[in-house]
Amino acid sequence: MRIGELAARTGASVRSLRYYEEQGLLTSTRSTSGQRHYTAAETERVGFIQRMFAAGLTSRTIAELLPCVDSPGEDTSDAARERMLQERDRLTGHIAELIRTRDSLDELIAVNRAHRATLQAAR
């Protein structure tokens, strides 16, 4: 199938599919006129890639996880699990930092609220 049909089947944009290919996440064959052609198996692969992006993973991390899909086995499964745990830890740290930032903003909002109350009381 051509890129437009793959896009229609997966809901991914043509631009996204080209990006996936540039990043080595997706492969195609080329016709003599240079058009990309994909197999039906690429439909599932695009779905997998989309789920990985939705989980907050980068294209580099997704590329590290693809051997688990391409050559399933205990070793690749263990490596994929370890990599996903690392990413989860990274996200947990990021979430903690965002919570600290939000708490700081809440403090500033409280100071502003108190200042406004003082201004209104002075009227």
Side-chain angles (χ1 to χ4, degrees):
M1 79 186 85
R2 293 181 17 192
I3 196 167
E5 185 178 346
L6 182 61
R9 285 186 183 189
T10 62
S13 68
V14 169
R15 183 176 180 190
S16 291
L17 296 174
R18 287 185 183 125
Y19 174 77
Y20 299 166
E21 196 167 336
E22 288 170 11
Q23 298 301 306
L25 307 176
L26 188 64
T27 58
S28 66
T29 57
R30 297 290 180 129
S31 68
T32 54
S33 62
Q35 292 180 333
R36 293 174 169 90
H37 289 272
Y38 301 91
T39 66
E42 299 305 320
T43 303
E44 288 182 35
R45 188 176 190 91
V46 170
F48 174 79
I49 293 167
Q50 289 174 318
R51 287 190 305 277
M52 296 296 106
F53 275 120
L57 303 178
T58 64
S59 57
R60 177 179 285 162
T61 301
I62 295 168
E64 292 175 24
L65 296 173
L66 285 175
C68 184
V69 174
D70 297 336
S71 303
E74 285 185 35
D75 290 344
T76 57
S77 178
D78 289 346
R81 184 184 66 247
E82 184 59 35
R83 187 65 179 102
M84 287 187 286
L85 288 170
Q86 290 171 356
E87 283 300 308
R88 188 178 191 284
D89 289 345
R90 182 187 64 79
L91 288 172
T92 299
H94 188 65
I95 289 167
E97 181 60 33
L98 286 171
I99 289 169
R100 284 190 292 275
T101 302
R102 184 197 59 202
D103 291 347
S104 293
L105 183 57
D106 285 345
E107 290 173 18
L108 291 172
I109 291 168
V111 167
N112 176 268
R113 201 174 284 133
H115 178 69
R116 295 236 340 121
T118 303
L119 290 174
Q120 288 177 347
R123 281 191 200 172

Short mmCIF file of all heavy atoms in Angstrom, two decimals, residues 117-123:
data_model
loop_
_atom_site.label_atom_id
_atom_site.label_comp_id
_atom_site.label_asym_id
_atom_site.label_seq_id
_atom_site.Cartn_x
_atom_site.Cartn_y
_atom_site.Cartn_z
N ALA A 117 -6.47 41.60 49.23
CA ALA A 117 -7.34 41.78 50.40
C ALA A 117 -6.91 43.02 51.19
O ALA A 117 -7.76 43.79 51.67
CB ALA A 117 -7.32 40.54 51.27
N THR A 118 -5.61 43.20 51.32
CA THR A 118 -5.11 44.40 52.03
C THR A 118 -5.49 45.67 51.29
O THR A 118 -5.90 46.65 51.91
CB THR A 118 -3.56 44.31 52.15
OG1 THR A 118 -3.21 43.10 52.83
CG2 THR A 118 -2.99 45.49 52.90
N LEU A 119 -5.40 45.65 49.98
CA LEU A 119 -5.76 46.82 49.17
C LEU A 119 -7.25 47.13 49.32
O LEU A 119 -7.65 48.29 49.45
CB LEU A 119 -5.41 46.60 47.70
CG LEU A 119 -3.94 46.57 47.36
CD1 LEU A 119 -3.74 46.19 45.89
CD2 LEU A 119 -3.25 47.90 47.65
N GLN A 120 -8.07 46.10 49.29
CA GLN A 120 -9.52 46.32 49.41
C GLN A 120 -9.89 46.82 50.80
O GLN A 120 -10.79 47.63 50.94
CB GLN A 120 -10.27 45.03 49.08
CG GLN A 120 -10.23 44.69 47.60
CD GLN A 120 -10.91 43.38 47.27
OE1 GLN A 120 -11.22 42.58 48.15
NE2 GLN A 120 -11.16 43.15 45.98
N ALA A 121 -9.19 46.34 51.83
CA ALA A 121 -9.48 46.76 53.20
C ALA A 121 -9.09 48.23 53.41
O ALA A 121 -9.68 48.92 54.23
CB ALA A 121 -8.75 45.88 54.20
N ALA A 122 -8.11 48.71 52.66
CA ALA A 122 -7.63 50.09 52.81
C ALA A 122 -8.57 51.09 52.16
O ALA A 122 -8.46 52.29 52.39
CB ALA A 122 -6.25 50.23 52.20
N ARG A 123 -9.52 50.66 51.41
CA ARG A 123 -10.44 51.58 50.72
C ARG A 123 -11.30 52.27 51.67
O ARG A 123 -11.91 52.27 52.53
CB ARG A 123 -11.31 50.83 49.72
CG ARG A 123 -10.59 50.53 48.46
CD ARG A 123 -11.61 50.04 47.49
NE ARG A 123 -10.98 49.30 46.41
CZ ARG A 123 -11.64 48.63 45.51
NH1 ARG A 123 -12.94 48.57 45.55
NH2 ARG A 123 -11.04 48.03 44.55
#
